[in-house]
Amino acid sequence: MGLQYRLLELLYHNGLATVTSCGQPTTPICYFNDLLTLSSLVVSSWPTVRDLASSNAIAAALDRHAEEQHRAIANLSEQSATAQHISRLLDTPPMDAMISAGLLIIADRLLNLTCADDVRDQLQTMLSAPPHRNRRATWGPRFDHMRSGCSTSLQEAYQALSKSLGRAAVRNHSTHYRHTKAVPLTPNWLPAFLPEPWYRRYFGDTKGINPLLLRRVVMIRLVQMASGWPPMAAADFLGINSGIYMPTGRVLSWARSQCDQHWFDRVLIELERDLEADPRKVDYRHRRNALRDWTLNTATWSVISSQLPLTTDHEDLGDLNRQCASIVIWAQITKGEYRYAPRPIENIQTPEVQHAWRCRRRAILKRLQHAKSLHDACLKELLLHHADQLEIHIDSLPNSASPL
C-alpha cells in the first residue's frame, strides 16, 4: 500500500515536484517512465529478480505471466516479427491487477537502489543471465523507445553498459541516448590519440597498462560511443591502420580487472560530457583529410633549416629529415601518433632506401620528441610554429576542399 499511496501523491496536481530514482532526484513523469521501462525488463529477464517479489503468491503469478510472455515473444520471433511488434507486446499491461502490482513493486525496489554502481550491476545481471539471452533484443527496443522520457540516472546506468551489452547496444546508445543531449558529440571532433593533457586529467593515476595503448583505445571507444560503429570501423575513421595490432580487447580486459570494474566506463562518460560542453570544437577529421598526402615542400624546408644553429654532431638535413619534420607537424595539427602519419617522401623511395630509412626515422623522431640538444630544440620550436600557422589555414578551409 505504501507504493500505491506514493504513486497517487505523485499524480496529484499539487503533489511532489521531485522524486528519487536510482539515487538522484527526477521529475514524477520521468519516474513513471522508469517504472514502466524496468517493468518491461523484469518480465523480459524473469526469473532473474524473482527474489524481489513481495510475496510467494505474486512470485507465482509472475512466473505464469513471464512464461506466457516468453512464449509469445518466441512465436513472434519465429514469424520474423519486427522489433516494434515485440515492443508492443511488452508495452501491453497485464490484465491481472496482482501481476501489475508485483511488477511495479519490483521496479520500484530497483529504482530505490541509491548507488549508481548497484543499479548498473543489477541491470547487467538482468540483461546477461541465462537462460533467455535474447532479452537484449526484446527489451532493447522498449528502452530505446522510452529512453528520452526516463530519468537521467537510469539513462546513465544503461549507457555505462554499452560495452557489456555488445555491439548492438553501443549502436543503440549512439543513435538514441545522444539525442537527449544539447550538443551531441560527433566523431569529427575526436583526435586519433588522446592528447597528453586529457590523459593526465582523466587517467593520470592508472597503472598496469601501456599509456600509449590506453590513449589509442580511449579515442576508439569515444568514436564508438558517438557513432555506434564497431571497433575496426572506428579505428579506420581515426586513420589507425587496421592491419596493425589493435589492443582494444586487452585494454578493456585490463579495465574490467580493476577493483572497480565500472570506473573506465564512468571516466569515458565524463570525458564525453566535457568534450560536448567544451565550446572549442575542432574538426580533426577535416585536418586529417587536408594533410592526407601532405609533406613539407623543399622550399619551406630550406627556409626552416636555414634558421638552425650550425652544428657538426647531426646528420644532414636531407629528404629523410624533411619527412620526419613533416611527421612532427602532422602530429601536432591532427593530435595523432607518429606511427600513423603519412610518409609520401618515403613511399616513393626504393625498397632498399625505405628499409634503411625506417630505423633512422624512429631515431630522429625520438630525438625530436625529447629535444635535448640545442639543434633539436630549435628545430622542434620552428616546426611547432609552422604547425600553428598551417593549422589556422586548414581550419579556415571548407570541408570540401582538396587535400593540401
Side-chain angles (χ1 to χ4, degrees):
M1 295 296 291
L3 175 61
Q4 182 177 352
Y5 287 138
R6 186 149 58 90
L7 295 180
L8 290 173
E9 187 176 9
L10 291 172
L11 290 171
Y12 288 148
H13 178 65
N14 5 344
L16 296 175
T18 62
V19 62
T20 301
S21 180
C22 301
Q24 298 181 26
T26 189
T27 62
I29 189 170
C30 287
Y31 170 73
F32 281 116
N33 280 328
D34 288 355
L35 281 177
L36 294 174
T37 302
L38 284 187
S39 295
S40 174
L41 177 57
V42 168
V43 174
S44 179
S45 65
W46 192 265
T48 309
V49 291
R50 193 178 191 276
D51 58 317
L52 295 181
S54 56
S55 68
N56 291 333
I58 288 180
L62 286 173
D63 286 339
R64 295 189 297 271
H65 175 69
E67 183 178 357
E68 293 174 359
Q69 290 287 82
H70 294 162
R71 190 183 305 117
I73 291 172
N75 291 337
L76 286 174
S77 299
E78 291 176 359
Q79 299 169 15
S80 301
T82 64
Q84 287 75 13
H85 287 102
I86 296 177
S87 294
R88 194 174 300 121
L89 173 65
L90 293 172
D91 285 345
T92 305
M95 297 294 293
D96 191 321
M98 177 186 291
I99 295 174
S100 294
L103 289 174
L104 291 175
I105 290 172
I106 294 175
D108 180 68
R109 289 179 175 178
L110 293 172
L111 294 175
N112 279 332
L113 294 172
T114 57
C115 176
D117 287 346
D118 290 342
V119 177
R120 190 161 43 243
D121 288 341
Q122 188 65 69
L123 287 178
Q124 188 167 23
T125 300
M126 296 170 74
L127 289 164
S128 304
H132 305 290
R133 293 193 177 274
N134 67 332
R135 63 174 56 90
R136 297 174 190 170
T138 59
W139 184 71
R142 167 65 175 164
F143 187 78
D144 292 334
H145 174 69
M146 296 289 294
R147 183 177 299 187
S148 61
C150 289
S151 65
T152 302
S153 51
L154 182 59
Q155 292 187 45
E156 290 176 349
Y158 182 76
Q159 178 193 12
L161 294 176
S162 58
K163 170 59 184 175
S164 302
L165 297 177
R167 182 180 303 173
V170 175
R171 185 177 299 112
N172 287 337
H173 151 69
S174 70
T175 56
H176 294 272
Y177 179 81
R178 59 194 176 102
H179 290 316
T180 69
K181 303 174 182 178
V183 185
L185 185 69
T186 66
N188 288 19
W189 297 345
L190 299 171
F193 194 55
L194 184 68
E196 181 68 27
W198 299 3
Y199 174 76
R200 289 197 303 268
R201 176 178 177 182
Y202 297 96
F203 300 96
D205 297 330
T206 55
K207 298 179 181 178
I209 192 69
N210 186 330
L212 297 181
L213 304 186
L214 179 59
R215 291 170 68 181
R216 189 182 309 156
V217 170
V218 164
M219 300 317 300
I220 293 175
R221 292 290 296 142
L222 286 174
V223 170
Q224 287 186 266
M225 292 169 65
S227 66
W229 299 328
M232 201 68 76
D236 288 341
F237 176 85
L238 292 173
I240 296 176
N241 187 349
S242 301
I244 299 177
Y245 166 64
M246 286 192 354
T248 309
R250 176 181 171 185
V251 171
L252 295 178
S253 296
W254 163 80
R256 288 192 295 268
S257 70
Q258 306 304 301
C259 295
D260 181 355
Q261 297 185 9
H262 302 296
W263 75 269
F264 188 65
D265 291 326
R266 286 199 302 271
V267 172
L268 287 178
I269 293 171
E270 180 184 0
L271 177 54
E272 181 189 32
R273 285 176 177 167
D274 290 347
L275 291 175
E276 289 173 335
D278 191 342
R280 299 165 298 176
K281 300 296 191 298
V282 176
D283 192 340
Y284 287 102
R285 182 172 184 266
H286 175 55
R287 292 184 178 183
R288 288 192 296 268
N289 288 339
L291 297 175
R292 188 171 59 233
D293 301 311
W294 174 87
T295 188
L296 275 171
N297 58 51
T298 53
T300 305
W301 177 235
S302 296
V303 173
I304 292 176
S305 58
S306 67
Q307 303 175 60
L308 295 173
L310 296 176
T311 60
T312 57
D313 57 342
H314 288 93
E315 53 195 306
D316 67 272
L317 298 172
D319 282 345
L320 172 57
N321 281 267
R322 180 162 66 97
Q323 178 72 88
C324 292
S326 303
I327 291 175
V328 171
I329 293 173
W330 177 91
Q332 176 67 15
I333 295 175
T334 66
K335 301 298 183 285
E337 295 181 72
Y338 287 166
R339 68 185 300 175
Y340 299 119
R343 298 188 291 271
I345 303 175
E346 183 175 322
N347 292 339
I348 63 174
Q349 308 300 319
T350 65
E352 294 77 16
V353 173
Q354 290 184 28
H355 178 74
W357 277 20
R358 194 168 296 122
C359 293
R360 293 177 61 196
R361 167 168 45 84
R362 293 170 184 165
I364 295 171
L365 289 173
K366 185 176 181 179
R367 202 181 69 212
L368 285 174
Q369 183 178 13
H370 297 290
K372 294 181 179 180
S373 70
L374 175 62
H375 176 280
D376 292 338
C378 290
L379 177 56
K380 184 175 182 179
E381 183 179 355
L382 290 168
L383 295 177
L384 296 183
H385 176 70
H386 185 78
D388 291 340
Q389 295 178 322
L390 186 58
E391 181 179 288
I392 295 173
H393 173 65
I394 292 173
D395 290 345
S396 69
L397 297 174
N399 285 331
S400 58
S402 301
L404 298 180

